[in-house]
Amino acid sequence: MAAPTIIAEIGCNHRGEMNTARRMIEIVGAYCTEHFGLNSEYGPTKAYVKFQKRTCDLAHYPSWLKHGAGYSCSVWDVNAARKIVSLDPDWVKVPSAANLDLDLLSVLVDEFDGAIHISLGMTRRSEIYQIVDFMRGAGGLGR
């Protein structure tokens, strides 16, 4: 049996303070850390550009390697998926609120070679079957 992966979900717990986020990475020393999701619905606002830069800064934070941690991020739409995929994360998470966005799932299957985690927290059984059928047909199962 494979050892479990410990995930430190930094999420919004750092309150937007990058020093706090970095400190959390150093304290946890987890195998993989998930940063809060990136959603491009905010458009080209200063806040979005700042968040995108901060996400890139965290993805390339040297302490990840020092602590043996990997990098991941939740994505909520196609544009966000492409931006996160360009950072070469260990895996990408699709939140349950976006798991039926077939365009989003297609981008991840077609443009990302890593693992895809699809959250099912708010998903009906019939929708889970729809997601599994789609991922099977797109060649995205087992990643």
Side-chain angles (χ1 to χ4, degrees):
M1 178 178 219
T5 300
I6 299 170
I7 300 171
E9 189 167 344
I10 291 175
C12 59
N13 295 321
H14 56 75
R15 300 174 310 277
E17 300 168 5
M18 298 313 285
N19 286 335
T20 301
R22 291 182 187 105
R23 185 71 182 129
M24 291 173 75
I25 294 166
E26 292 167 2
I27 290 171
V28 173
Y31 295 113
C32 192
T33 309
E34 179 191 356
H35 189 261
F36 195 68
L38 180 60
N39 183 335
S40 62
E41 75 179 37
Y42 303 108
T45 64
K46 287 182 183 179
Y48 177 71
V49 171
K50 185 176 180 180
F51 182 79
Q52 183 178 349
K53 181 188 180 314
R54 287 179 169 184
T55 300
C56 293
D57 289 348
L58 277 182
H60 300 294
Y61 184 52
S63 193
W64 294 110
L65 298 176
K66 176 181 170 188
H67 293 284
Y71 175 77
S72 177
C73 189
S74 297
V75 295
W76 293 73
D77 61 37
V78 168
N79 292 331
R82 287 193 168 117
K83 285 176 178 38
I84 294 301
V85 165
S86 74
L87 298 175
D88 194 29
D90 295 289
W91 55 280
V92 173
K93 178 183 174 188
V94 179
S96 57
N99 65 16
L100 291 168
D101 183 341
L102 301 184
D103 291 333
L104 170 60
L105 297 179
S106 291
V107 165
L108 292 175
V109 169
D110 295 342
E111 300 178 23
F112 181 59
D113 292 328
I116 303 168
H117 171 94
I118 302 174
S119 182
L120 302 173
M122 301 179 350
T123 312
R124 294 184 193 101
R125 185 180 304 247
S126 61
E127 294 170 330
I128 294 171
Y129 290 133
Q130 180 183 350
I131 294 165
V132 170
D133 288 344
F134 176 82
M135 293 298 285
R136 182 179 292 121
L141 284 184
R143 294 178 45 186

